[in-house]
Amino acid sequence: MMSMRSLLLATALLAATTATARAQVRDEVIAAPVLRANVSVAGELVRIGDVIDNAGTSGKIAIYRAPELGTTGTLSTAQVLSVLRAHQVIGVDTRDLREISVTRLARTLLPKEIELAVASALEHRNGFGDAANLSLTFDRDLGDIKLEASNSGAMQPASVRYEPRTNRFDVTFEIGSDNAATPARLRFTGTVIETVEAAVLARGIERNELIKSSDVVIERRPKAEVGADAATRDGAVGMQARRQLRAGQAVRIADLAKPDLVQRDQSVTLIYDTPGLYLTVRGKALDAGTEGDVVNVLNLQSKRTVPGVVIGRGQVSVAVATPRLPAAETSSSIGSNETETAAPVAVAAGSTSQSAPTE
């Protein structure tokens, strides 16, 4: 009876030992170190745990210096295994790899990003307007700037200096890090000018010449060059040049005038309009003028010169004095010494009549 019990106990112990051994073998197989084909690191060093899976306690041991920021290098498998053996890491499954690649992660700042950050730092300082209107010239050509991948913070201006006499700027940024207490610092220097959109002449314009759409292009010019009265494209097209303008010149409002609606020696329509009387007659303009200007016109019927107001293209309005009524015909409500004043002339259509008053 005792021997039977002993036999059963021994059998149970053997089964438990066998199961434990199998579990250990399974764990050892699963935990075998395996070489990685592609490795990415965020710091200056490559560690054992970066190049193999299941590195265990050896994972934090540094074995190589990482390549330059944002670049990729290669290592032969034989070289890696030799280094791992030196640190008692053996039995590595190479998966028949001949080499592995190692990439050092980085944050890349592009030139456009840097330029925008500097312009934003100068925006609305020292009389400047919006950042979009600032034109920057850096002392050194901007290229891509590589930072540690941990420098994930925004570019924060730490120092902003500007010298108005020379237009020079000196801006320093700080960029926070996820791992380090001290932020990265970047400094940029150069010159800055504020620009505005200006209507620029594509060809020379003579005095009194009308500006056409094809005569104007839009360019950004220094604000100091254009001044505060820069004309827009819409404001320049259709206007008349007050003086001769050269090609490439930015147009100012002071350079422009409303176009003449009446030209000197032009045939025009004289319009006489008073209550109860509307007459038109042909005339010859002796002056040039735009809307609202007073010009002299030769009445071709009476051969007399009369002043009139330009009211439209080729149209001049002439005021007509109402004749004084005879004393015998005045009513009791009108004094004999009173006279009618000349009635203002309204804008009229170009109709004609059989006769016109003699001026």
Side-chain angles (χ1 to χ4, degrees):
M1 192 69 170
M2 290 296 294
S3 60
M4 181 61 69
R5 290 178 178 175
S6 299
L7 180 59
L8 291 173
L9 180 61
T11 302
L13 290 173
L14 178 60
T17 302
T18 302
T20 303
R22 289 176 178 174
Q24 289 177 347
V25 170
R26 189 183 305 112
D27 291 343
E28 288 176 359
V29 171
I30 294 174
V34 179
L35 191 66
R36 294 174 178 168
N38 299 294
V39 177
S40 296
V41 296
E44 296 180 350
L45 301 175
V46 179
R47 305 178 189 277
I48 291 178
D50 295 322
V51 299
I52 61 172
D53 293 320
N54 307 319
T57 57
S58 301
K60 295 183 179 180
I61 299 175
I63 54 175
Y64 290 109
R65 181 169 293 279
E68 296 297 324
L69 284 167
T71 63
T72 298
T74 59
L75 294 170
S76 70
T77 299
Q79 181 184 3
V80 174
L81 293 177
S82 176
V83 173
L84 292 177
R85 282 194 296 269
H87 292 281
Q88 288 74 50
V89 179
I90 58 176
V92 178
D93 181 1
T94 64
R95 298 186 297 165
D96 295 328
L97 296 174
R98 293 182 177 275
E99 63 180 20
I100 66 173
S101 65
V102 181
T103 299
R104 184 173 177 183
L105 301 176
R107 176 185 177 182
T108 303
L109 297 179
L110 301 176
K112 282 293 185 182
E113 184 179 358
I114 297 170
E115 186 172 352
L116 178 59
V118 174
S120 297
L122 295 168
E123 183 180 44
H124 301 153
R125 293 172 181 256
N126 302 288
F128 285 135
D130 295 339
N133 294 329
L134 301 183
S135 177
L136 305 173
T137 302
F138 291 85
D139 289 338
R140 291 185 296 178
D141 291 339
L142 291 181
D144 294 352
I145 295 180
K146 306 290 185 181
L147 299 175
E148 295 286 355
S150 59
N151 290 119
S152 58
M155 296 180 66
Q156 298 291 346
S159 173
V160 180
R161 298 178 182 176
Y162 171 70
E163 174 51 56
R165 291 181 297 116
T166 59
N167 294 327
R168 290 195 57 78
F169 67 83
D170 186 338
V171 179
T172 300
F173 294 97
E174 289 186 349
I175 303 175
S177 172
D178 299 332
N179 301 329
T182 304
R185 292 176 67 89
L186 297 174
R187 181 185 177 192
F188 302 97
T189 58
T191 57
V192 55
I193 57 172
E194 185 169 8
T195 63
V196 295
E197 281 194 350
V200 178
L201 294 176
R203 66 178 184 88
I205 301 293
E206 297 298 324
R207 181 176 180 273
N208 293 331
E209 185 178 355
L210 290 180
I211 299 176
K212 301 185 294 293
S213 178
S214 59
D215 297 332
V216 181
V217 295
I218 296 298
E219 294 180 4
R220 296 204 71 89
R221 291 291 181 89
K223 185 177 180 180
E225 171 192 326
V226 177
D229 65 338
T232 64
R233 178 187 178 87
D234 290 343
V237 174
M239 298 295 281
Q240 184 173 296
R242 291 183 181 272
R243 54 182 171 273
Q244 188 180 39
L245 303 174
R246 67 180 185 279
Q249 179 177 344
V251 184
R252 300 170 184 258
I253 295 175
D255 297 329
L256 306 173
K258 291 182 179 180
D260 287 341
L261 299 179
V262 169
Q263 300 291 336
R264 181 181 175 86
D265 296 329
Q266 176 187 351
S267 178
V268 297
T269 299
L270 282 171
I271 300 172
Y272 300 84
D273 189 8
T274 60
L277 178 65
Y278 182 87
L279 300 173
T280 62
V281 68
R282 302 305 297 169
K284 178 181 178 182
L286 303 180
D287 304 307
T290 187
E291 185 176 6
D293 287 349
V294 176
V295 296
N296 290 314
V297 180
L298 176 64
N299 185 327
L300 297 179
Q301 182 173 327
S302 66
K303 305 303 181 183
R304 296 187 61 181
T305 299
V306 295
V309 178
V310 178
I311 60 173
R313 188 167 297 281
Q315 293 183 327
V316 178
S317 176
V318 180
V320 180
T322 302
R324 181 183 300 178
L325 296 175
E329 297 180 3
T330 58
S331 65
S332 60
S333 60
I334 302 178
S336 59
N337 293 328
E338 293 182 355
T339 60
E340 293 286 346
T341 59
V345 180
V347 176
S351 61
T352 59
S353 64
Q354 297 179 350
S355 62
T358 302
E359 292 288 344

